[in-house]
Amino acid sequence: MSASSGIPRPRPLRRAFTAVVATLGLAAALATAATAPADASAPAPPSGWTQVFADDFNGAAGSGVNTADWQYDTGTSYPGGAANWGTGEVETMTSSTSNVALDGNGNLLITPRRDASGNWTSGRIETTRTDFQPPAGGKLRVQARIQMPNVTGSAAKGYWPAFWMLGAPFRGNYWNWPGVGELDIMENVQGLNTDWATMHCGTNPGGPCNETSGIGNSTSCTGGTCQAGFHTYAMEWDRSTSPEEVRFYLDGVNFHTVRANQVDATTWANATNHGYFLILNVAMGGGFPAAFGGGPDSGTEPGHPMVVDYVQVLRSSGGGTTPPPTGNRDAYSPVQAESYDSQSGVVTETTTDTGGGQDIGSLANGDWALYRGVDFGSTAARQFYARVASGAAGGVSGLVEVRLDSRGNAPVGSFAVANTGGWQSWRTVPANIGAVTGTHDVYLTFTSGQPADFVNVNWFDFGH
């Protein structure tokens, strides 16, 4: 966990919205962003995978973590290691249940706190095991379902939650970073709706892995912000491919991949020819927050925990497929538009339509949303229905299209929409589609001859 990763590139909003996702309360966010309750169990391993570690954080409220699985890092450094954990962060880590505790509802809370003198404390735990690595020719998948500290804006200044891994040779040495490797599965700073993923390796500064930044990328949480609800953060280390690669996922979507041929063979071997251990922590201040405005100040609010539902490690001997994001959607019941698995150009907002909730807006030419695992059954669907609204200017219109399994496939059906009387003036529009059976990933794509926004969507479904 270093001052790492690329600068986020915010997508310009193309019109004013009636609500901002970051202001959602937890209940609303869970209703729209999560596919499971807050105390969901770690999912069963898919075919071809074996679970080698899991913690659902079940236990009495106020109790500590299971010390057979986890050990506490305390103070401001490893014994004999770099000061301030090597990153310039300002908190003191403790094993106190005020900083690290179970909530009694199947979650771990890591909570930064500030005392009357302005001193910060927080929590950092790491697995006792250091042997997490893929078998030869196989894969390792490490994932956790996490709600980042639910604080944004100036109140979040200095917050730095993370879920990450360090190479086993670091334990007991503490001076061989970054050569022994670091895999940052989730990092966040300043309450931004951004998930950074990074691999650190090579030498510092500079070197083949561009330290201290590392080889990183970032993406945004969708269907609710990273702070307002739970999301699943995962890393898959794959030795079944050539070249070997490390892939990072947010809610099942691969947004960053690092391949062995991006660095020299010695650098890759030094970073990967050994096991890893896992770390969960919330730092305050340090190099990464400094790059986005600075560390905590008098306006920073203490007491906002990172909430961890589960941590899980899976291994595959090589034949396992990537665990898919949750799907199992019924094509003949309304699919809420904001429940997408991935998107481009889409923003969620509060709707005034019947039933309330949210819709997706800011939809213009080239935008799309993906809904995985839509089950059409064995009797062919031949109709598509969507609940849409438009406040587009005169002469602005476009197509709402349905594509199956790939955005590159031809639409199976579409309808045109123009101004309906306002961005919250809703109507249900039907369209014929080609016969569809079985289970498919459904893409809604939006095509227009003009660059302006032309439609909002609240929900859609299919009929026979």
Side-chain angles (χ1 to χ4, degrees):
M1 188 185 72
S2 67
S4 61
S5 308
I7 303 298
R9 295 169 292 179
R11 184 180 60 82
L13 298 183
R14 291 186 293 237
R15 62 182 171 81
F17 297 106
T18 57
V20 179
V21 174
T23 65
L24 288 175
L26 177 59
L30 290 177
T32 58
T35 58
D39 60 348
S41 298
S47 176
W49 292 81
T50 301
Q51 179 173 284
V52 296
F53 176 85
D55 196 337
D56 279 318
F57 299 112
N58 296 321
S63 59
V65 294
N66 180 356
T67 52
D69 290 332
W70 301 95
Q71 60 190 45
Y72 295 90
D73 296 329
T74 59
T76 59
S77 72
Y78 285 110
N84 304 108
W85 302 106
T87 69
E89 57 205 73
V90 301
E91 81 296 327
T92 298
M93 295 299 188
T94 85
S95 58
S96 167
T97 52
S98 68
N99 295 123
V100 183
L102 307 183
D103 69 353
N105 293 311
N107 302 300
L108 168 69
L109 308 180
I110 299 181
T111 310
R113 301 191 184 276
R114 184 176 57 206
D115 66 19
S117 300
N119 299 311
W120 286 90
T121 59
S122 190
R124 171 174 169 143
I125 60 172
E126 56 187 56
T127 54
T128 56
R129 289 177 57 177
T130 63
D131 61 345
F132 298 120
Q133 62 180 318
K139 304 176 188 177
L140 180 81
R141 185 176 177 90
V142 179
Q143 59 188 8
R145 188 167 178 263
I146 295 172
Q147 180 183 7
M148 294 181 189
N150 193 8
V151 59
T152 58
S154 60
K157 190 176 180 183
Y159 270 78
W160 186 3
F163 170 47
W164 52 301
M165 306 169 67
L166 277 171
F170 188 76
R171 183 168 287 175
N173 182 324
Y174 310 131
W175 290 100
N176 50 15
W177 185 92
V180 296
E182 175 182 327
L183 302 172
D184 299 328
I185 304 170
M186 180 280 287
E187 289 186 281
N188 173 263
V189 290
Q190 313 292 50
L192 299 170
N193 183 37
T194 306
D195 167 33
W196 280 270
T198 308
M199 181 172 181
H200 294 278
C201 47
T203 56
N204 181 50
C209 306
N210 187 36
E211 298 302 342
T212 57
S213 295
I215 305 171
N217 199 9
S218 64
T219 190
S220 298
C221 293
T222 58
T225 66
C226 305
Q227 288 74 28
F230 285 91
H231 296 268
T232 302
Y233 304 90
M235 181 281 305
E236 194 168 286
W237 177 359
D238 191 349
R239 285 180 169 159
S240 70
T241 62
S242 183
E244 182 177 334
E245 60 186 32
V246 177
R247 298 184 291 267
F248 297 90
Y249 298 80
L250 172 58
D251 291 329
V253 178
N254 173 209
F255 69 96
H256 180 42
T257 300
V258 183
R259 295 177 177 87
N261 61 1
Q262 291 177 239
V263 299
D264 62 274
T266 299
T267 294
W268 188 264
N270 288 342
T272 60
N273 281 359
H274 48 69
Y276 272 71
F277 57 95
L278 316 184
I279 304 172
L280 292 160
N281 73 288
V282 180
M284 297 302 298
F288 202 1
F292 290 84
D297 58 24
S298 60
T300 303
E301 290 182 7
H304 294 280
M306 179 171 74
V307 186
V308 186
D309 182 10
Y310 62 77
V311 172
Q312 184 182 44
V313 182
L314 306 174
R315 289 180 67 178
S316 166
S317 60
T321 57
T322 297
T326 52
N328 303 317
R329 305 173 190 265
D330 180 3
Y332 307 106
S333 297
V335 175
Q336 297 300 321
E338 72 275 11
S339 70
Y340 48 73
D341 293 286
S342 187
Q343 57 81 26
S344 177
V346 171
V347 175
T348 56
E349 61 181 354
T350 299
T351 181
T352 60
D353 194 15
T354 302
Q358 293 185 300
D359 62 73
I360 59 173
S362 191
L363 302 173
N365 183 57
D367 295 342
W368 56 268
L370 166 63
Y371 305 85
R372 294 192 184 277
V374 179
D375 185 1
F376 291 84
S378 57
T379 302
R382 298 182 182 276
Q383 290 284 314
F384 167 60
Y385 305 91
R387 186 75 168 166
V388 298
S390 176
V396 175
S397 63
L399 295 176
V400 178
E401 304 163 321
V402 178
R403 302 172 193 258
L404 302 181
D405 302 318
S406 170
R407 286 188 292 119
N409 289 338
V412 296
S414 65
F415 64 82
V417 63
N419 191 299
T420 63
W423 292 112
Q424 293 293 317
S425 180
W426 295 95
R427 64 180 60 176
T428 303
V429 178
N432 295 323
I433 62 171
V436 180
T437 60
T439 300
H440 298 274
D441 292 342
V442 170
Y443 287 86
L444 295 188
T445 58
F446 304 95
T447 301
S448 174
Q450 302 89 26
D453 300 339
F454 70 89
V455 68
N456 289 354
V457 181
N458 189 10
W459 54 260
F460 64 92
D461 63 6
F462 298 88
H464 296 299

